[in-house]
Amino acid sequence: MKTDRFLFALALGVLLTQGCASLSGFHTGRTVGDNRAEFTASLNAGNAPDFSEDEEEISDQLSVVFFPNIELGGRYGVSEKFDFGVRLNTSLNVLLDAKYQFVGDQESPFAMAVGAGFGTFGLISTQAALVNFQVPLYTSYHPTESIGIYLSPRYIGQFGTAFRETSGLLSYYGFNTGAEFGKGALRFGLDYGLYQLDAPGTIENTSVMQFGIGLKFMFGGD
């Protein structure tokens, strides 16, 4: 019983001090492809807003805390132009998202896609839960079959009960950029994300960023 209470308190502490939506990228403008799947594993490090500050001691700007996390994800291609996926990481974040490619195909040098996602953070407690929705635009240039360079602007809206006793909307404005190397079943990626956080009750915006390295394993297809 004491162990259960300790684990709950530990998880809740992680939640309150790392209440950040998933900022990882590793997406080009191409979808996975019809009846194909991918598995992604990445190691990420960056900072996140600290929502554990005392309400009476809030400064004009949210402080940030450094954190590392491991993220795992999978995607499946329903058609050549549409796929969906799920991500989860060691910061207690879960994200479901979909992606539709409207420019280019699986072999064109330039590709563009639009996405939509819904994430949850803090499933352990209704008193400290966060949810978010994400709207990214994926663009990428592929100079060769084994190199893809991407830039993905993204808006994230986050709301819930884990920050400053308010249910107001927090807005993240920013982008992910990086590169993917390799072709066939195994690929390697580098990712960088930079976002401005517009939080209720703050005068100045807070910058959050994340670096990551990852591997992609492709399945199915020809």
Side-chain angles (χ1 to χ4, degrees), residues 101-185:
Q101 183 177 349
F102 61 92
V103 174
D105 55 29
Q106 306 306 312
E107 298 180 352
S108 60
F110 182 73
M112 184 177 290
V114 65
F118 177 79
T120 63
F121 189 92
L123 295 177
I124 57 172
S125 172
T126 58
Q127 298 301 315
L130 290 172
V131 296
N132 67 80
F133 59 92
Q134 307 192 9
V135 184
L137 177 66
Y138 305 107
T139 65
S140 61
Y141 175 62
H142 305 260
T144 70
E145 292 184 12
S146 59
I147 299 176
I149 302 168
Y150 64 85
L151 175 64
S152 303
R154 176 165 43 164
Y155 170 77
I156 303 173
Q158 187 176 49
F159 54 95
T161 60
F163 53 91
R164 300 190 172 187
E165 302 298 327
T166 179
S167 59
L169 179 68
L170 287 82
S171 295
Y172 296 76
Y173 304 93
F175 65 89
N176 285 80
T177 187
E180 182 179 289
F181 307 93
K183 60 180 180 178

Side-chain angles (χ1 to χ4, degrees), residues 17-188:
T17 58
Q18 298 181 7
C20 187
S22 174
L23 302 181
S24 59
F26 302 104
H27 274 283
T28 69
R30 295 176 176 177
T31 50
V32 175
D34 185 30
N35 201 32
R36 290 176 59 84
E38 72 176 27
F39 171 77
T40 305
S42 64
L43 174 63
N44 308 281
N47 58 17
D50 184 358
F51 296 121
S52 65
E53 295 173 313
D54 192 305
E55 184 73 20
E56 297 179 355
E57 299 179 359
I58 294 174
S59 63
D60 290 341
Q61 183 174 1
L62 280 173
S63 61
V64 294
V65 292
F66 175 83
F67 73 97
N69 74 68
I70 296 172
E71 186 167 82
L72 303 177
R75 303 195 69 79
Y76 177 75
V78 178
S79 68
E80 283 296 311
K81 299 291 187 179
F82 180 77
D83 64 26
F84 66 91
V86 59
R87 294 186 182 194
L88 59 139
N89 62 37
T90 53
S91 294
L92 308 180
N93 216 305
V94 179
L95 176 70
L96 302 174
D97 73 310
K99 182 177 178 183
Y100 176 75
Q101 183 177 349
F102 61 92
V103 174
D105 55 29
Q106 306 306 312
E107 298 180 352
S108 60
F110 182 73
M112 184 177 290
V114 65
F118 177 79
T120 63
F121 189 92
L123 295 177
I124 57 172
S125 172
T126 58
Q127 298 301 315
L130 290 172
V131 296
N132 67 80
F133 59 92
Q134 307 192 9
V135 184
L137 177 66
Y138 305 107
T139 65
S140 61
Y141 175 62
H142 305 260
T144 70
E145 292 184 12
S146 59
I147 299 176
I149 302 168
Y150 64 85
L151 175 64
S152 303
R154 176 165 43 164
Y155 170 77
I156 303 173
Q158 187 176 49
F159 54 95
T161 60
F163 53 91
R164 300 190 172 187
E165 302 298 327
T166 179
S167 59
L169 179 68
L170 287 82
S171 295
Y172 296 76
Y173 304 93
F175 65 89
N176 285 80
T177 187
E180 182 179 289
F181 307 93
K183 60 180 180 178
L186 179 61
R187 301 172 190 182
F188 170 75

